[in-house]
Amino acid sequence: MATGELENFSCLLVDDDPFMLKALSKMLESIGIQGIIQTDNAQDALKYLANRNNHIDIVISDLNMPNMDGIQLLRHFGSLGMSFSVILVSGEDPRLLESVKSLGEQQKLNILGTLNKPVRKDDLEAMVKLHNPIGKQAPNGPAAMVFADELQRAIMNDELEVFFQPQVAIDDGHIVGIEALARWNHPEKGWIPPGIFIGIAEKYNMIGDLTDSIFQKSISEAAHLRSLGFDITVSVNFSAQVLCVLELPEILSETIQSSGLESSHVVIEVTESSLAQDMNITLDILTRMRLKGFGLSIDDFGTGFSSLEQLKQIPFTELKIDRSFVHQAAENRASRAILESSIDLAQKLNIECVAEGVETEADWKLVEELGCDIVQGYYTAKPMAARDFITWAKEYGLQRNVQDTTPK
Ligand SMILES: [Mg+2]
């Protein structure tokens, strides 16, 4: 590669050690690189990268940093589907660096290599030259290049939509509820998966506004459906970050009151991992929600680390088993065991049990046999726009010949 190309490269340095930042900068300058950005923490690095006006070819990151370490940073890069190259630097055992490198590769990141501290200029130069700007493809799929400022605009311009996935009772198949799922139809990039934009919203403090918008839309759709005769509940997902606003139960109650719904028609879904946050505040909020009559669901059950103690403390009304333990559980002994004991636990706690990810007849049969109450998944229906729900419900009612699914 001609050295001329190097001067067009831009590098982002991430290291909590100011001396190291300076030393790396000097080395990069001496090999002709002009665009050098320095940050002393991973959060600032993500913020910088999330701005689409900033272009970076290579991120050179330390592994050991307070708050967010290099491994966590790689995971974020992976989930954002970003297209730069990465060089990892550390004073740790070279074998550890190698395992981190393969972790990064599993995330489909372009890892140029790893460097041990103290870094030698020749090694750094050789590694930087491995970056191939021509080989750098256009962003891969909708996940790529989704940036925080665009999301902010989408929330402000009310571009986020709500889709609904039906939940049906396993005994007679009647529709008991819908789960509201946020969808973002990007004007140029198409549908952006929630796994991507919810993560960005959490990272950049937009999750409150996002949840607020989704909640309002879900409530008004559910009120409309109930007015047409559908006797259903609506489940809305709440992030851990939102569950620290002490006034939340009051805010939700007010929204409900003006809609014509009752709080018992609304289920608040809380992921298991969010319970790991400040338990006192979370417990306060969730208990008051329950007092106000909202249903409380523990979502993605099985994937987090909730203790039985927490399950006992929080007045959950529903346990929702993660799809990874449901779909194809009949063929997987470990999944089946977790599925079976989760259903058993819900029965013993005397709360409703919902199986997510029921995609085939075999999945349905297994959860039915194990005594689950409610199912949600592609086998019944995919998430759909509100306007499609009524048509779907009518067809579904006819198909199953279940009279009470079709409102008069
Ligand atoms: Mg959910």
Side-chain angles (χ1 to χ4, degrees), residues 226-272:
R226 284 196 72 92
S227 75
L228 295 176
F230 288 99
D231 184 15
I232 51 170
T233 58
V234 61
S235 299
V236 187
N237 294 283
F238 277 70
S239 150
Q241 277 184 32
V242 181
L243 289 174
C244 53
V245 180
L246 278 168
E247 310 78 44
L248 193 61
E250 287 71 30
I251 298 172
L252 299 189
S253 275
E254 276 169 33
T255 310
I256 298 291
Q257 270 160 21
S258 52
S259 74
L261 277 189
E262 284 169 30
S263 50
S264 61
H265 303 147
V266 181
V267 179
I268 309 294
E269 290 196 6
V270 183
T271 59
E272 204 183 358

Short mmCIF file of all heavy atoms in Angstrom, two decimals, residues 226-272:
data_model
loop_
_atom_site.label_atom_id
_atom_site.label_comp_id
_atom_site.label_asym_id
_atom_site.label_seq_id
_atom_site.Cartn_x
_atom_site.Cartn_y
_atom_site.Cartn_z
N ARG A 226 -60.70 -2.94 22.12
CA ARG A 226 -61.68 -3.33 23.14
C ARG A 226 -63.05 -2.73 22.81
O ARG A 226 -64.08 -3.37 23.02
CB ARG A 226 -61.22 -2.90 24.53
CG ARG A 226 -60.12 -3.80 25.10
CD ARG A 226 -59.96 -3.62 26.59
NE ARG A 226 -61.07 -4.21 27.33
CZ ARG A 226 -61.09 -5.45 27.79
NH1 ARG A 226 -60.06 -6.24 27.62
NH2 ARG A 226 -62.14 -5.90 28.44
N SER A 227 -63.04 -1.51 22.27
CA SER A 227 -64.33 -0.88 21.93
C SER A 227 -65.03 -1.66 20.81
O SER A 227 -66.24 -1.61 20.65
CB SER A 227 -64.13 0.58 21.54
OG SER A 227 -63.57 0.65 20.24
N LEU A 228 -64.23 -2.41 20.01
CA LEU A 228 -64.82 -3.23 18.94
C LEU A 228 -65.28 -4.59 19.47
O LEU A 228 -65.83 -5.39 18.72
CB LEU A 228 -63.80 -3.46 17.83
CG LEU A 228 -63.34 -2.23 17.04
CD1 LEU A 228 -62.27 -2.61 16.04
CD2 LEU A 228 -64.52 -1.58 16.32
N GLY A 229 -64.98 -4.87 20.74
CA GLY A 229 -65.46 -6.12 21.32
C GLY A 229 -64.39 -7.14 21.63
O GLY A 229 -64.69 -8.23 22.12
N PHE A 230 -63.13 -6.83 21.34
CA PHE A 230 -62.06 -7.78 21.66
C PHE A 230 -61.78 -7.73 23.17
O PHE A 230 -61.38 -6.69 23.68
CB PHE A 230 -60.77 -7.42 20.91
CG PHE A 230 -60.83 -7.70 19.44
CD1 PHE A 230 -61.10 -6.68 18.54
CD2 PHE A 230 -60.59 -8.98 18.95
CE1 PHE A 230 -61.14 -6.94 17.18
CE2 PHE A 230 -60.63 -9.24 17.59
CZ PHE A 230 -60.91 -8.21 16.70
N ASP A 231 -61.95 -8.88 23.82
CA ASP A 231 -61.67 -8.91 25.26
C ASP A 231 -60.22 -9.32 25.46
O ASP A 231 -59.90 -10.48 25.74
CB ASP A 231 -62.63 -9.91 25.93
CG ASP A 231 -62.45 -9.91 27.44
OD1 ASP A 231 -61.82 -8.97 27.97
OD2 ASP A 231 -62.93 -10.87 28.09
N ILE A 232 -59.33 -8.35 25.28
CA ILE A 232 -57.90 -8.67 25.31
C ILE A 232 -57.13 -7.72 26.23
O ILE A 232 -57.56 -6.60 26.50
CB ILE A 232 -57.27 -8.59 23.90
CG1 ILE A 232 -57.62 -7.24 23.25
CG2 ILE A 232 -57.71 -9.74 23.04
CD1 ILE A 232 -56.84 -6.98 21.97
N THR A 233 -55.95 -8.20 26.66
CA THR A 233 -55.02 -7.33 27.39
C THR A 233 -53.94 -6.87 26.41
O THR A 233 -53.74 -7.48 25.36
CB THR A 233 -54.32 -8.09 28.53
OG1 THR A 233 -53.62 -9.20 27.97
CG2 THR A 233 -55.32 -8.58 29.57
N VAL A 234 -53.25 -5.80 26.77
CA VAL A 234 -52.10 -5.37 25.96
C VAL A 234 -50.86 -5.38 26.85
O VAL A 234 -50.88 -4.87 27.97
CB VAL A 234 -52.35 -3.99 25.30
CG1 VAL A 234 -52.58 -2.88 26.32
CG2 VAL A 234 -51.17 -3.62 24.39
N SER A 235 -49.79 -6.02 26.36
CA SER A 235 -48.54 -6.07 27.11
C SER A 235 -47.54 -5.10 26.50
O SER A 235 -47.36 -5.06 25.29
CB SER A 235 -47.94 -7.47 27.06
OG SER A 235 -48.83 -8.40 27.62
N VAL A 236 -46.91 -4.32 27.36
CA VAL A 236 -45.93 -3.33 26.89
C VAL A 236 -44.60 -3.57 27.62
O VAL A 236 -44.59 -3.81 28.82
CB VAL A 236 -46.41 -1.89 27.14
CG1 VAL A 236 -45.47 -0.88 26.50
CG2 VAL A 236 -47.83 -1.69 26.62
N ASN A 237 -43.50 -3.53 26.86
CA ASN A 237 -42.17 -3.78 27.44
C ASN A 237 -41.59 -2.53 28.09
O ASN A 237 -41.62 -1.45 27.50
CB ASN A 237 -41.21 -4.25 26.35
CG ASN A 237 -41.62 -5.59 25.80
OD1 ASN A 237 -41.41 -6.62 26.41
ND2 ASN A 237 -42.26 -5.58 24.63
N PHE A 238 -41.05 -2.70 29.28
CA PHE A 238 -40.41 -1.58 29.97
C PHE A 238 -38.96 -1.92 30.26
O PHE A 238 -38.65 -2.96 30.83
CB PHE A 238 -41.15 -1.27 31.28
CG PHE A 238 -42.34 -0.38 31.06
CD1 PHE A 238 -43.47 -0.85 30.40
CD2 PHE A 238 -42.32 0.94 31.48
CE1 PHE A 238 -44.55 -0.03 30.17
CE2 PHE A 238 -43.41 1.78 31.25
CZ PHE A 238 -44.52 1.29 30.59
N SER A 239 -38.08 -1.01 29.85
CA SER A 239 -36.65 -1.22 30.07
C SER A 239 -36.29 -0.91 31.53
O SER A 239 -36.95 -0.12 32.19
CB SER A 239 -35.89 -0.30 29.12
OG SER A 239 -34.67 0.10 29.65
N ALA A 240 -35.20 -1.52 31.96
CA ALA A 240 -34.73 -1.30 33.33
C ALA A 240 -34.50 0.18 33.61
O ALA A 240 -34.77 0.67 34.70
CB ALA A 240 -33.42 -2.05 33.53
N GLN A 241 -34.04 0.88 32.58
CA GLN A 241 -33.73 2.30 32.77
C GLN A 241 -34.96 3.13 33.07
O GLN A 241 -34.87 4.19 33.67
CB GLN A 241 -33.06 2.85 31.52
CG GLN A 241 -31.59 2.58 31.49
CD GLN A 241 -30.95 3.22 30.28
OE1 GLN A 241 -31.39 4.26 29.82
NE2 GLN A 241 -29.94 2.59 29.76
N VAL A 242 -36.12 2.68 32.60
CA VAL A 242 -37.35 3.42 32.84
C VAL A 242 -37.87 3.10 34.24
O VAL A 242 -38.55 3.92 34.86
CB VAL A 242 -38.39 3.05 31.77
CG1 VAL A 242 -39.67 3.81 31.95
CG2 VAL A 242 -37.82 3.29 30.39
N LEU A 243 -37.49 1.93 34.72
CA LEU A 243 -38.02 1.47 36.01
C LEU A 243 -37.34 2.11 37.21
O LEU A 243 -37.33 1.57 38.30
CB LEU A 243 -37.92 -0.06 36.11
CG LEU A 243 -38.88 -0.81 35.20
CD1 LEU A 243 -38.59 -2.29 35.26
CD2 LEU A 243 -40.31 -0.54 35.57
N CYS A 244 -36.71 3.26 36.99
CA CYS A 244 -36.13 3.95 38.14
C CYS A 244 -36.81 5.30 38.32
O CYS A 244 -36.41 6.10 39.15
CB CYS A 244 -34.62 4.08 38.00
SG CYS A 244 -34.15 4.80 36.46
N VAL A 245 -37.84 5.56 37.52
CA VAL A 245 -38.60 6.80 37.67
C VAL A 245 -39.72 6.54 38.67
O VAL A 245 -40.68 5.83 38.36
CB VAL A 245 -39.20 7.24 36.30
CG1 VAL A 245 -39.99 8.53 36.44
CG2 VAL A 245 -38.09 7.40 35.27
N LEU A 246 -39.59 7.10 39.85
CA LEU A 246 -40.52 6.75 40.93
C LEU A 246 -41.98 7.10 40.63
O LEU A 246 -42.89 6.44 41.13
CB LEU A 246 -40.08 7.43 42.23
CG LEU A 246 -38.97 6.68 43.00
CD1 LEU A 246 -38.40 7.54 44.10
CD2 LEU A 246 -39.48 5.35 43.56
N GLU A 247 -42.21 8.12 39.81
CA GLU A 247 -43.59 8.55 39.53
C GLU A 247 -44.23 7.71 38.43
O GLU A 247 -45.38 7.96 38.05
CB GLU A 247 -43.66 10.02 39.07
CG GLU A 247 -42.93 11.03 39.92
CD GLU A 247 -41.43 11.01 39.67
OE1 GLU A 247 -41.04 10.95 38.50
OE2 GLU A 247 -40.67 11.03 40.66
N LEU A 248 -43.49 6.72 37.91
CA LEU A 248 -43.99 5.96 36.76
C LEU A 248 -45.40 5.38 36.95
O LEU A 248 -46.25 5.54 36.07
CB LEU A 248 -42.99 4.85 36.41
CG LEU A 248 -43.18 4.18 35.08
CD1 LEU A 248 -43.04 5.17 33.93
CD2 LEU A 248 -42.16 3.06 34.90
N PRO A 249 -45.71 4.75 38.10
CA PRO A 249 -47.05 4.18 38.25
C PRO A 249 -48.14 5.24 38.10
O PRO A 249 -49.18 4.99 37.47
CB PRO A 249 -47.04 3.60 39.67
CG PRO A 249 -45.60 3.34 39.97
CD PRO A 249 -44.84 4.42 39.26
N GLU A 250 -47.90 6.44 38.63
CA GLU A 250 -48.88 7.52 38.54
C GLU A 250 -49.02 8.00 37.09
O GLU A 250 -50.13 8.20 36.60
CB GLU A 250 -48.47 8.70 39.43
CG GLU A 250 -48.66 8.46 40.93
CD GLU A 250 -47.66 7.46 41.53
OE1 GLU A 250 -46.53 7.38 41.02
OE2 GLU A 250 -48.04 6.74 42.49
N ILE A 251 -47.87 8.13 36.42
CA ILE A 251 -47.90 8.58 35.03
C ILE A 251 -48.71 7.60 34.17
O ILE A 251 -49.57 7.98 33.39
CB ILE A 251 -46.47 8.72 34.46
CG1 ILE A 251 -45.69 9.77 35.26
CG2 ILE A 251 -46.49 9.07 32.98
CD1 ILE A 251 -44.20 9.86 34.91
N LEU A 252 -48.45 6.30 34.36
CA LEU A 252 -49.16 5.29 33.56
C LEU A 252 -50.65 5.30 33.87
O LEU A 252 -51.49 5.21 32.96
CB LEU A 252 -48.58 3.89 33.83
CG LEU A 252 -47.11 3.67 33.50
CD1 LEU A 252 -46.76 2.20 33.62
CD2 LEU A 252 -46.76 4.18 32.11
N SER A 253 -50.99 5.44 35.15
CA SER A 253 -52.40 5.47 35.53
C SER A 253 -53.15 6.59 34.85
O SER A 253 -54.26 6.42 34.35
CB SER A 253 -52.54 5.67 37.04
OG SER A 253 -52.45 4.45 37.68
N GLU A 254 -52.50 7.76 34.80
CA GLU A 254 -53.15 8.91 34.15
C GLU A 254 -53.40 8.64 32.67
O GLU A 254 -54.47 8.94 32.15
CB GLU A 254 -52.29 10.16 34.30
CG GLU A 254 -52.53 10.86 35.63
CD GLU A 254 -51.50 11.94 35.89
OE1 GLU A 254 -51.02 12.57 34.93
OE2 GLU A 254 -51.15 12.12 37.08
N THR A 255 -52.39 8.05 32.02
CA THR A 255 -52.54 7.74 30.59
C THR A 255 -53.72 6.79 30.39
O THR A 255 -54.52 6.96 29.47
CB THR A 255 -51.27 7.06 30.04
OG1 THR A 255 -50.15 7.85 30.43
CG2 THR A 255 -51.31 6.92 28.55
N ILE A 256 -53.82 5.79 31.25
CA ILE A 256 -54.87 4.79 31.13
C ILE A 256 -56.25 5.43 31.32
O ILE A 256 -57.18 5.17 30.56
CB ILE A 256 -54.69 3.71 32.23
CG1 ILE A 256 -53.38 2.98 32.07
CG2 ILE A 256 -55.85 2.73 32.23
CD1 ILE A 256 -53.33 2.12 30.87
N GLN A 257 -56.34 6.28 32.35
CA GLN A 257 -57.64 6.84 32.69
C GLN A 257 -58.26 7.60 31.53
O GLN A 257 -59.46 7.52 31.28
CB GLN A 257 -57.53 7.74 33.92
CG GLN A 257 -57.75 6.94 35.20
CD GLN A 257 -57.19 7.63 36.42
OE1 GLN A 257 -56.98 8.85 36.40
NE2 GLN A 257 -56.94 6.87 37.46
N SER A 258 -57.42 8.34 30.80
CA SER A 258 -57.99 9.14 29.71
C SER A 258 -58.32 8.28 28.49
O SER A 258 -58.94 8.75 27.55
CB SER A 258 -57.03 10.27 29.35
OG SER A 258 -55.76 9.74 29.11
N SER A 259 -57.89 7.01 28.49
CA SER A 259 -58.08 6.18 27.28
C SER A 259 -59.36 5.35 27.30
O SER A 259 -59.80 4.86 26.27
CB SER A 259 -56.90 5.22 27.14
OG SER A 259 -57.02 4.18 28.10
N GLY A 260 -59.91 5.16 28.48
CA GLY A 260 -61.08 4.31 28.57
C GLY A 260 -60.73 2.86 28.90
O GLY A 260 -61.60 2.03 29.11
N LEU A 261 -59.43 2.56 28.95
CA LEU A 261 -59.02 1.21 29.35
C LEU A 261 -58.99 1.14 30.86
O LEU A 261 -58.98 2.17 31.54
CB LEU A 261 -57.60 0.92 28.86
CG LEU A 261 -57.32 0.44 27.45
CD1 LEU A 261 -55.87 0.03 27.34
CD2 LEU A 261 -58.21 -0.74 27.08
N GLU A 262 -58.92 -0.07 31.39
CA GLU A 262 -58.68 -0.22 32.81
C GLU A 262 -57.26 -0.75 33.00
O GLU A 262 -56.73 -1.41 32.11
CB GLU A 262 -59.69 -1.20 33.41
CG GLU A 262 -61.06 -0.57 33.56
CD GLU A 262 -62.12 -1.60 33.90
OE1 GLU A 262 -61.77 -2.61 34.55
OE2 GLU A 262 -63.27 -1.38 33.50
N SER A 263 -56.70 -0.48 34.17
CA SER A 263 -55.30 -0.90 34.37
C SER A 263 -55.17 -2.43 34.28
O SER A 263 -54.13 -2.95 33.88
CB SER A 263 -54.75 -0.39 35.69
OG SER A 263 -55.65 -0.69 36.72
N SER A 264 -56.24 -3.15 34.60
CA SER A 264 -56.16 -4.61 34.53
C SER A 264 -56.09 -5.12 33.09
O SER A 264 -55.84 -6.29 32.86
CB SER A 264 -57.36 -5.24 35.23
OG SER A 264 -58.55 -4.83 34.58
N HIS A 265 -56.31 -4.22 32.13
CA HIS A 265 -56.17 -4.62 30.72
C HIS A 265 -54.74 -4.44 30.23
O HIS A 265 -54.46 -4.69 29.06
CB HIS A 265 -57.09 -3.77 29.83
CG HIS A 265 -58.54 -3.84 30.21
ND1 HIS A 265 -59.41 -2.79 30.06
CD2 HIS A 265 -59.26 -4.86 30.73
CE1 HIS A 265 -60.61 -3.15 30.49
NE2 HIS A 265 -60.54 -4.41 30.90
N VAL A 266 -53.87 -3.95 31.11
CA VAL A 266 -52.51 -3.63 30.69
C VAL A 266 -51.51 -4.47 31.49
O VAL A 266 -51.60 -4.57 32.71
CB VAL A 266 -52.21 -2.13 30.91
CG1 VAL A 266 -50.80 -1.78 30.46
CG2 VAL A 266 -53.24 -1.28 30.17
N VAL A 267 -50.57 -5.09 30.77
CA VAL A 267 -49.53 -5.88 31.43
C VAL A 267 -48.19 -5.20 31.18
O VAL A 267 -47.85 -4.89 30.03
CB VAL A 267 -49.50 -7.33 30.88
CG1 VAL A 267 -48.39 -8.13 31.56
CG2 VAL A 267 -50.84 -8.00 31.05
N ILE A 268 -47.47 -4.94 32.25
CA ILE A 268 -46.14 -4.33 32.12
C ILE A 268 -45.11 -5.46 32.09
O ILE A 268 -45.03 -6.25 33.03
CB ILE A 268 -45.84 -3.41 33.34
CG1 ILE A 268 -46.98 -2.42 33.58
CG2 ILE A 268 -44.49 -2.72 33.20
CD1 ILE A 268 -47.18 -1.40 32.51
N GLU A 269 -44.37 -5.55 31.00
CA GLU A 269 -43.35 -6.60 30.89
C GLU A 269 -41.99 -6.05 31.30
O GLU A 269 -41.54 -5.04 30.78
CB GLU A 269 -43.27 -7.14 29.45
CG GLU A 269 -44.48 -7.93 29.05
CD GLU A 269 -44.24 -8.78 27.79
OE1 GLU A 269 -43.09 -8.82 27.31
OE2 GLU A 269 -45.20 -9.37 27.31
N VAL A 270 -41.37 -6.75 32.22
CA VAL A 270 -40.08 -6.34 32.74
C VAL A 270 -39.11 -7.48 32.51
O VAL A 270 -39.41 -8.62 32.86
CB VAL A 270 -40.20 -6.13 34.26
CG1 VAL A 270 -38.91 -5.64 34.84
CG2 VAL A 270 -41.33 -5.18 34.58
N THR A 271 -37.96 -7.20 31.90
CA THR A 271 -37.04 -8.32 31.66
C THR A 271 -36.39 -8.74 32.97
O THR A 271 -36.20 -7.94 33.87
CB THR A 271 -35.92 -7.98 30.66
OG1 THR A 271 -35.20 -6.87 31.18
CG2 THR A 271 -36.46 -7.66 29.31
N GLU A 272 -36.04 -10.00 32.98
CA GLU A 272 -35.43 -10.57 34.17
C GLU A 272 -34.15 -9.83 34.55
O GLU A 272 -33.90 -9.56 35.72
CB GLU A 272 -35.11 -12.04 33.87
CG GLU A 272 -35.02 -12.88 35.09
CD GLU A 272 -34.62 -14.30 34.74
OE1 GLU A 272 -34.46 -14.64 33.56
OE2 GLU A 272 -34.46 -15.07 35.68
#
